[in-house]
Amino acid sequence: MLIMEKLFGTDGMRGAAGEFPLDAATVRNVGYSLARHLAARVGRPPLIVMGRDTRQSGAWIERALMEGARAGGARCESAGVIPTPGVAYLARTLPADAGVVISASHNPYEDNGIKIFAPSGRKLDDATERLIEADIFQQHGSQPPAAGTTAHAKDERISVNDQGGSYVPALDARYLDYLAGEIGRSLDLTRLRLVVDCANGAACAFAPTLLARLGAQVTSVNAAPDGRNINRECGSLFVERLRDTVTHARADLGVAFDGDADRALFVDARGTVTDGDATLWAMANYFDARGELNGRRVVATVMSNLGLELALKARGIELVRASVGDKYVLDELLRTGSSLGGEQSGHIIFPDVSLAGDGLITTLFLLRAMQDSQQPLHRLSEGFVRYPQTLVNVRVREKKPFDEVPEIAEASRRAEAQLADQGRLLLRYSGTEPLARIMIEGRRQDEIDRLATDLAAVIGRLLGAG
């Protein structure tokens, strides 16, 4: 008898491509289950719009998902390679009954994932995810609902640009027109030199074209995807590598996307990295000056730097913290009626225009703030003093509650006592990987590094994967 477990994490279902639950048979079952539950909800054959990033497994996973969905009675259309928020936009505006993205975001190419959006553009509700999980485990090990010609997971003959039989080219053009014509309306970038790191991912066919369309002089790097180089030492996980290109080109701004372009980090003209916290700071001040910061409130996560909270407080702006994950940031944004939220990693949400984090929208909003204020990014970032922060990951064999392991609980208490009111400790598990994450902030880098290393050793000894 199979033991039920949670397959959908904070950002959809994710794992190694070709292995359960991302083997072809299970992916077909996901499509079949989703279609059946949607049909029961809407009372007709549902429409599902799909898209993917550039990793080599994306094409066969998308085909398998379509086979299952069609067996369940759905109609399917594909936008091909497109940023994750592009599918959320299409699901909302077509309208479709669901949007599905084949992507593992910032993970290496060997991984992939399935993210499902509701017609509102929000992530699929937890209740429907649980129903799909139950269907998966009921079918696991049995014949999938539809036999097809889906390629094997290791079939490398499928190219990054293989669009399949349901590709609708007007869909990706529709998203690009929305970004340029609505979000970028009246934005004049003709005097700006920009460097764009596309992470060899979904941003390649969108970001350089969009910014050039608005008048910018664009230099693109890491914009030649081959199915295996997505996120490889490039993009938002390696934004520091963008510095040299920005300074050498004397550019006004550099922007680094992740593999599915739902997050963006920046490098200013001086070569300083602007992460999600600094972006929130700049946008909060811009919105507040225009009277557009609802409730004078910003939503961030428990990972956001203590310095952001203190800087906002000094301006009379409240920082509300949510759990890690853009879906939790969105929940808090909608609950409080706030107009700005995001994560340190570069997921920024502007709920008045999109309920999904969108790196391209974030870039356009930041460029508009620079244009309207006639200030470079380093000026917009002034006033935010970052507390030293360290993050240590420990690979674990199980995610046992920390307070149920006495030695870990005691080590955490000792660390917090040493920090007192001059810092903070956050200990949590990753929502998508078998990792314990230790984040410590404080006045001195050497002290927080030592505390994090000591705590990591305790967790590794007791729960480590070996």
Side-chain angles (χ1 to χ4, degrees), residues 108-192:
Y109 87 92
E110 295 92 343
D111 293 341
N112 217 321
I114 298 173
K115 306 179 186 182
I116 307 175
F117 290 90
S120 64
R122 296 184 69 173
K123 298 283 178 65
L124 188 68
D125 60 279
D126 291 344
T128 305
E129 288 181 347
R130 301 293 83 78
L131 291 173
I132 294 173
E133 287 170 348
D135 290 342
I136 289 172
F137 283 104
Q138 184 177 6
Q139 292 290 334
H140 187 49
S142 65
Q143 188 70 20
T149 57
T150 302
H152 188 271
K154 303 302 181 183
D155 188 350
E156 297 175 10
R157 293 173 296 172
I158 292 180
S159 74
V160 169
N161 297 316
D162 183 355
Q163 301 291 10
S166 297
Y167 172 58
V168 182
L171 294 179
D172 52 12
R174 180 173 179 154
Y175 174 55
L176 189 59
D177 288 345
Y178 160 71
L179 293 171
E182 293 190 38
I183 305 301
R185 181 181 300 158
S186 77
L187 189 57
D188 182 6
L189 306 182
T190 52
R191 297 183 179 181
L192 293 183

Side-chain angles (χ1 to χ4, degrees), residues 10 13-14 119 135 161 180 198 246 300 312 380 409:
T10 56
M13 183 186 297
R14 194 175 298 183
D135 290 342
N161 297 316
C198 298
V246 170
L312 290 172
L380 299 183

Side-chain angles (χ1 to χ4, degrees), residues 12-15 22 55 61 101-105 111-115:
M13 183 186 297
R14 194 175 298 183
L22 291 177
R55 58 195 80 219
I61 291 178
V101 183
I102 313 301
S103 174
S105 190
D111 293 341
N112 217 321
I114 298 173
K115 306 179 186 182

Side-chain angles (χ1 to χ4, degrees), residues 14-59:
R14 194 175 298 183
E19 300 178 9
F20 179 82
L22 291 177
D23 57 285
T26 304
V27 170
R28 282 196 290 269
N29 283 328
V30 171
Y32 181 77
S33 174
L34 175 63
R36 293 292 297 272
H37 290 300
L38 289 176
R41 180 180 299 174
V42 301
R44 55 173 168 73
L47 171 62
I48 301 175
V49 62
M50 299 185 183
R52 55 188 171 87
D53 66 23
T54 58
R55 58 195 80 219
Q56 67 177 20
S57 59

